[in-house]
């Protein structure tokens, strides 16, 4: 089953509900930066996100430098933002 992109109205509504996530400036994705006390805390967070991603069968684009984790979510099958991204962002926020 094809995955559909979010409409403009859905994007606006979900961005208001997804605290600290914002639209990427260079593509159709949402992004958020997480800061931690140190590398170990950042790495532990990434491990928890990895388990969520597997559960949701939807995987983030991310990077880690010392205590900072940057996450971008987009749905390649939809060529942009979809409900899959929103669901995973909500789950990540729950951590």
């Amino acid at each position: 089953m094809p995955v559909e992109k979010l409409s403009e109205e859905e994007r606006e509504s979900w961005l208001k509900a997804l605290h600290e996530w914002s639209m990427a400036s260079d593509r159709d994705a949402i992004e958020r930066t997480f800061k931690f006390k140190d590398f170990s805390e950042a790495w532990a967070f990434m491990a928890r996100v990895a388990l969520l991603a597997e559960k949701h069968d939807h995987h983030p684009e991310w990077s880690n430098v010392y205590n900072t984790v940057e996450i971008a979510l987009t749905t390649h099958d939809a060529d942009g933002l979809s409900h899959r991204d929103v669901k995973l962002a909500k789950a990540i926020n729950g951590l």
Side-chain angles (χ1 to χ4, degrees):
M1 178 183 341
V3 180
E4 293 185 27
K5 287 173 81 167
L6 294 177
S7 69
E8 287 302 317
E9 296 80 25
E10 290 173 316
R11 289 164 193 268
E12 289 178 27
S13 176
W14 279 116
L15 270 178
K16 290 177 186 173
L18 292 172
H19 302 289
E20 299 187 44
W21 290 86
S22 60
M23 289 298 301
S25 62
D26 59 344
R27 63 195 181 120
D28 195 15
I30 55 175
E31 57 191 12
R32 182 172 172 191
T33 299
F34 297 84
K35 295 257 185 195
F36 299 92
K37 182 178 79 174
D38 56 27
F39 177 75
S40 293
E41 279 190 10
W43 189 262
F45 170 76
M46 290 178 72
R48 291 191 306 272
V49 171
L51 294 173
L52 280 175
E54 282 297 301
K55 181 179 176 183
H56 287 258
D57 192 28
H58 190 55
H59 303 91
E61 297 174 13
W62 57 8
S63 66
N64 165 241
V65 177
Y66 182 57
N67 69 335
T68 303
V69 177
E70 295 179 348
I71 298 179
L73 299 174
T74 189
T75 303
H76 299 284
D77 292 343
D79 196 30
L81 281 178
S82 76
H83 284 286
R84 289 177 146 197
D85 304 304
V86 170
K87 286 173 64 176
L88 185 54
K90 286 175 60 176
I92 291 169
N93 281 354
L95 294 175

